[in-house]
Amino acid sequence: MVSIRPCQIGDLMSMQNANLTCLPENYQMKYYLYHFLTWPQTSFVAEDDKGNVVGYVLAKIDENEPKRGHITSLAVLRSQRKLGIATKLMKQAEVALLEVYDADCVSLHVRKSNRAAFSLYHEVLKFKIDEIEKEYYGDKEDAYSMVLYLKPEVEEEKEREKQLEKINKAAKESIEAAKRANEEPKPVSNVIHGKKKNVKKIE
Ligand SMILES: CC(C)(COP(=O)(O)OP(=O)(O)OC[C@H]1O[C@@H](n2cnc3c(N)ncnc32)[C@H](O)[C@@H]1OP(=O)(O)O)[C@@H](O)C(=O)NCCC(=O)NCCS
């Protein structure tokens, strides 16, 4: 039986071990410490009945956007996968980000090739692709930058902003195209009635 509980300082070594086993994106212990001390209520571990950490989610608040949560890292040990553990860890982190920090949304990055994680985020947790970040990872693989809105009214507002942006972009493009069409040099004929016209050269 595996249970989910808030991360404690004594879990950091086990989380680092799980991270090293499961992912190529690794962090020094001082980063785990900084993460835990800065956002102590938003990270969770999955623990088996012997007290071993078999999974974790490290969640924080974006340092530049106080209403934006971010998933720093998520992993479940291979022996415990496909049991719904990652889903539970992520849902706990979402609730904590909303309750503790009143976060509007949660964002994350996932490798384009990571089908298991992408499916978890997209199909199960309903994250949406925000953009593709080219060569985001150290080995130059692209990342999907994904977002989940935690408040329906903020999602609606963001949708409206996006639509407006699209309309403005299209309008700007058509103005630019019209300008270009008017500015295109027109062929000027300097031949009148079969004779060459004297065209005064303007210096
Ligand atoms: C991605 C990962 C965290 C999923 O953990 P998990 O506990 O097995 O996930 P869950 O059991 O909650 O699965 C939920 C959904 O994820 C998707 N999923 C999980 N494993 C999958 C797999 N091997 N293939 C395809 N989809 C998979 C499915 O959509 C699944 O829903 P379903 O059971 O209804 O099909 C785990 O595979 C892992 O630790 N991978 C290595 C680390 C990693 O990639 N972390 C994410 C970095 S962004």
Side-chain angles (χ1 to χ4, degrees):
M1 172 74 184
V2 172
S3 53
I4 311 292
R5 63 165 174 78
C7 158
Q8 292 161 6
I9 199 155
D11 296 319
L12 299 184
M13 290 278 272
S14 310
M15 289 163 80
Q16 188 183 36
N17 282 336
N19 167 268
L20 284 165
T21 323
C22 298
L23 280 165
E25 287 72 45
N26 311 126
Y27 315 93
Q28 292 181 0
M29 184 43 68
K30 66 181 176 192
Y31 183 67
Y32 286 91
L33 260 174
Y34 164 77
H35 205 289
F36 176 76
L37 294 173
T38 315
W39 305 281
Q41 295 145 297
T42 48
S43 294
F44 294 84
V45 292
E47 186 181 62
D48 69 10
D49 45 16
K50 292 185 191 118
N52 302 312
V53 169
V54 296
Y56 70 85
V57 61
L58 265 179
K60 66 172 188 172
I61 287 290
D62 189 307
E63 272 138 300
N64 302 314
E65 284 184 58
K67 291 283 180 185
R68 191 179 185 89
H70 187 77
I71 303 300
T72 306
S73 186
L74 166 76
V76 173
L77 294 187
R78 201 173 281 277
S79 60
Q80 302 287 342
R81 288 184 190 165
K82 294 289 281 173
L83 299 171
I85 295 174
T87 307
K88 285 186 191 147
L89 285 165
M90 285 291 295
K91 288 198 165 158
Q92 285 282 353
E94 286 168 20
V95 170
L97 288 165
L98 180 63
E99 285 184 353
V100 180
Y101 293 102
D102 192 31
D104 289 339
C105 64
V106 191
S107 63
L108 56 82
H109 290 102
V110 58
R111 284 176 180 268
K112 263 181 135 180
S113 64
N114 192 344
R115 290 190 46 230
F118 181 80
S119 167
L120 162 72
Y121 300 138
H122 195 250
E123 311 303 332
V124 178
L125 299 168
K126 308 298 178 201
F127 276 73
K128 288 185 180 149
I129 298 172
D130 196 26
E131 58 176 322
I132 294 173
E133 292 195 28
K134 289 272 167 210
E135 300 185 355
Y136 175 82
Y137 290 99
D139 60 4
K140 305 240 182 287
E141 183 170 347
D142 297 348
Y144 287 120
S145 167
M146 304 188 82
V147 67
L148 174 75
Y149 286 95
L150 301 173
K151 299 172 186 166
E153 67 277 14
V154 176
E155 181 163 22
E156 280 162 23
E157 180 59 31
K158 289 284 165 197
E159 269 310 309
R160 265 199 297 276
E161 277 174 20
K162 256 192 192 166
Q163 290 303 326
L164 206 64
E165 230 171 71
K166 259 191 204 164
I167 294 167
N168 283 342
K169 195 174 165 218
K172 210 173 155 191
E173 276 169 9
S174 70
I175 291 168
E176 293 296 324
K179 262 192 200 165
R180 274 198 304 277
N182 280 339
E183 279 166 10
E184 257 167 34
K186 300 207 171 62
V188 179
S189 166
N190 60 358
V191 176
I192 299 174
H193 305 307
K195 286 184 188 165
K196 213 165 189 190
K197 186 187 165 195
N198 258 345
V199 179
K200 200 175 174 195
K201 202 176 164 197
I202 301 166
E203 298 293 321

